Amino acid sequence: MGLNTSFFFRILAKCDVIRTFAVEIDCFKDMKKQKITDRVYYVGVNDRTTTRFEGLWPLPKGVSYNSYVVKGSRHIAIVEGVEASFVSRQIESIKAVCDGKSPDFLIVNHMEPDHSGAIRMLMLEFPQMVIVGNAKTLEMLEGYYGINDHVLSVADGDTLSLGDCTLKFSLTPMVHWPETMMTHLIEDAVLFSGDAFGCFGALNGGIIDSEMLTDGFFPEMTRYYSNIVGKYGKPVQKALEKYADTKIDFICSTHGPVWHDRVADVVEAYDRMSRYEAKEGVTIVYGSMYGHTEVLAEKMARALTLKGVKDIRMHNFSYSDISDVLRDVFDVKGLVIATPTYNGALFPKVEAFLQAVASRGLEKRVVARLGESTWAGVGTRKIDEYLAKMKLTVVSDAIEVKQNRMADIDETLDAIAADLVAAM
Ligand code: FEO
């Protein structure tokens, strides 16, 4: 009996279809795996339900808790956990990437619970996994979660081989907590940077900056930096110096996009912000009970416009969130603070603002002060008590308007605007 060749070829053709289909499924699985390099995968999560980060900072566009898997030829490492309530999603992604193997290491660059909250659950899921951190990390690990075994303590400059690739650890204290460190995957020029270079805003499909429109993330990076890391300019500078001569193709932060195309831009932004350098422009902040201080602030804005200032950002403290105000104060160089006198002191939200600025050690801003009152007129004196303790340049005498007596004020505001612009 001869071979039925047409049947044979039909079977072969079917095999081809099956193979093609299988390849397509694999491609789909690969797409879902969210590769960054041949051995680095994204296994982070998005949070669009938490309304305030750290209980303080609004999240109108959500936030991502980024985590990564590095697959070496001998060992697999997870870099960072996620916030506790999202750990099941992280575990699902880790399993999809690891193809049945168990991760050997969990690298903990930062212990703040938006990342470390997952650790207990990760240890239950992958009980043989060793947690890697520095001495301060491990002290916090025990304090927060009672974990003190299956740990590996690393020091500045230590390396960990995963077989065909190596992780190198650098301690970068106070970017953002004392235990913070960064991890460099040497062979792929990938820097796992912890909070540094992070931003608010969930990831809407794209993971790497080349997959998305990134301009909207930059104001959110400034907001993140000013709100969360702003106090630690000098430690950020030290961290930047540590990596000044290191080749970096990918910055894998704990929040926001993976930076690849725009590595130079985000490094420049961090360098500028951590030196407290700012762009041309003025933030005008004011509190106002019945609108008189607001009119004063509006007049000041017009005076600045007539002096050529185009970037003016106004914040009424009764409505603006301090988070957005800090973003703008970190972003532009000029600052006008206007307050009514309230209970023989400052308008409360103006006082809270001054405390927030002082606690971040803000420098290199030029500041003008405006006050309004019905009888006491001490607001600007109280502002000056705060400013005296800061490294800011104060211009012109403060003005105190009584009641609504602003008929002859334009000339004075014009002179203050001129001083402010000259000092910027
Ligand atoms: Fe994203 Fe300092 O934690």
Side-chain angles (χ1 to χ4, degrees):
M1 196 167 66
L3 183 65
N4 181 342
T5 50
S6 66
F7 174 75
F8 178 73
F9 282 114
R10 272 208 309 277
I11 294 291
L12 262 185
K14 273 192 180 163
C15 285
D16 271 354
V17 169
I18 290 166
R19 212 175 294 119
T20 308
F21 185 57
V23 168
E24 278 171 5
I25 288 175
D26 270 353
C27 285
F28 183 63
K29 271 166 70 185
D30 267 356
M31 269 171 59
K32 287 187 81 176
K33 280 181 183 172
Q34 302 177 138
K35 231 173 186 182
I36 294 166
T37 71
D38 280 347
R39 56 190 141 210
V40 178
Y41 296 80
Y42 182 84
V43 291
V45 299
N46 285 308
D47 178 354
R48 296 188 184 84
T49 52
T50 301
T51 53
R52 296 227 172 221
F53 190 80
E54 294 184 340
L56 288 166
W57 316 109
L59 295 171
K61 297 173 188 165
V63 67
S64 68
Y65 309 115
N66 297 344
S67 170
Y68 308 90
V69 165
V70 184
K71 289 171 83 174
S73 58
R74 277 212 314 274
H75 299 298
I76 297 174
I78 304 170
V79 184
E80 317 289 12
V82 299
E83 203 272 338
S85 47
F86 294 87
V87 66
S88 60
R89 288 187 203 171
Q90 186 196 18
I91 289 171
E92 200 177 305
S93 299
I94 291 168
K95 285 182 171 174
V97 164
C98 290
D99 300 317
K101 292 184 191 136
S102 247
D104 304 284
F105 300 104
L106 171 63
I107 314 298
V108 179
N109 283 324
H110 184 23
M111 273 297 294
E112 192 165 4
D114 54 327
H115 312 292
S116 70
I119 290 178
R120 266 204 193 127
M121 285 297 289
L122 289 171
M123 288 306 286
L124 283 174
E125 193 69 36
F126 308 114
Q128 78 302 328
M129 189 172 66
V130 171
I131 301 179
V132 180
N134 57 69
K136 289 196 170 86
T137 319
L138 301 186
E139 188 266 331
M140 291 181 189
L141 189 68
E142 181 160 24
Y144 269 121
Y145 307 111
I147 297 172
N148 55 18
D149 60 358
H150 271 72
V151 296
L152 174 66
S153 183
V154 293
D156 192 42
D158 280 359
T159 57
L160 177 67
S161 172
L162 301 181
D164 59 354
C165 62
T166 308
L167 299 174
K168 183 174 182 185
F169 308 103
S170 288
L171 304 194
T172 52
M174 304 318 298
V175 189
H176 151 225
W177 279 13
E179 90 300 358
T180 34
M181 63 181 197
M182 297 188 192
T183 300
H184 182 217
L185 173 59
I186 296 169
E187 290 75 7
D188 289 9
V190 173
L191 181 66
F192 300 101
S193 64
D195 280 349
F197 311 107
C199 31
F200 293 127
L203 297 174
N204 302 327
I207 305 296
I208 305 174
D209 58 3
S210 51
E211 302 174 315
M212 65 180 86
L213 300 174
T214 48
D215 283 352
F217 278 102
F218 278 77
E220 286 296 80
M221 177 179 281
T222 308
R223 190 165 72 88
Y224 184 87
Y225 180 87
S226 61
N227 293 188
I228 311 289
V229 192
K231 178 178 168 63
Y232 307 112
K234 286 187 176 65
V236 170
Q237 278 291 308
K238 277 190 185 163
L240 290 172
E241 276 166 28
K242 267 192 165 175
Y243 286 103
D245 299 322
T246 305
K247 177 175 157 54
I248 296 171
D249 287 339
F250 293 89
I251 293 179
C252 294
S253 157
T254 47
H255 302 287
V258 168
W259 300 109
H260 178 52
D261 285 356
R262 303 197 70 175
V263 164
D265 293 336
V266 298
V267 170
E268 187 278 326
Y270 252 66
D271 182 40
R272 175 173 47 78
M273 291 189 291
S274 59
R275 286 184 290 106
Y276 297 105
E277 299 291 349
K279 304 171 194 164
E280 293 299 312
V282 179
T283 309
I284 301 177
V285 296
Y286 64 93
S288 192
M289 287 177 279
Y290 296 102
H292 301 113
T293 314
E294 183 169 57
V295 169
L296 194 57
E298 295 273 12
K299 284 177 175 290
M300 189 70 206
R302 186 65 196 153
L304 285 163
T305 300
L306 294 176
K307 291 281 175 270
V309 181
K310 292 191 173 162
D311 189 351
I312 297 176
R313 306 163 188 204
M314 296 195 71
H315 289 285
N316 178 343
F317 274 123
S318 298
Y319 301 95
S320 284
D321 197 286
I322 185 79
S323 175
D324 296 321
V325 179
L326 288 172
R327 175 201 58 215
D328 288 343
V329 169
F330 267 72
D331 208 30
V332 295
K333 198 167 182 186
L335 174 61
V336 177
I337 308 169
T339 186
T341 296
Y342 190 90
N343 280 346
L346 286 164
F347 190 75
K349 292 199 171 185
V350 172
E351 182 143 32
F353 162 73
L354 285 163
Q355 284 166 350
V357 168
S359 72
R360 281 162 180 74
L362 188 72
E363 300 176 12
K364 302 179 185 174
R365 297 297 178 274
V366 270
V367 190
R369 304 87 69 225
L370 313 175
E372 193 275 342
S373 70
T374 303
W375 67 96
V378 298
T380 53
R381 181 157 59 77
K382 299 287 181 187
I383 292 175
D384 284 349
E385 287 171 12
Y386 276 94
L387 295 179
K389 296 174 206 152
M390 298 187 222
K391 292 180 186 168
L392 306 176
T393 304
V394 177
V395 299
S396 309
D397 291 337
I399 57 167
E400 277 287 348
V401 172
K402 212 158 192 186
Q403 294 110 30
N404 193 23
R405 298 170 197 273
M406 292 189 227
D408 302 320
I409 203 155
D410 287 352
E411 212 170 295
T412 310
L413 290 176
D414 189 60
I416 294 172
D419 284 350
L420 197 72
V421 169
M424 281 201 302

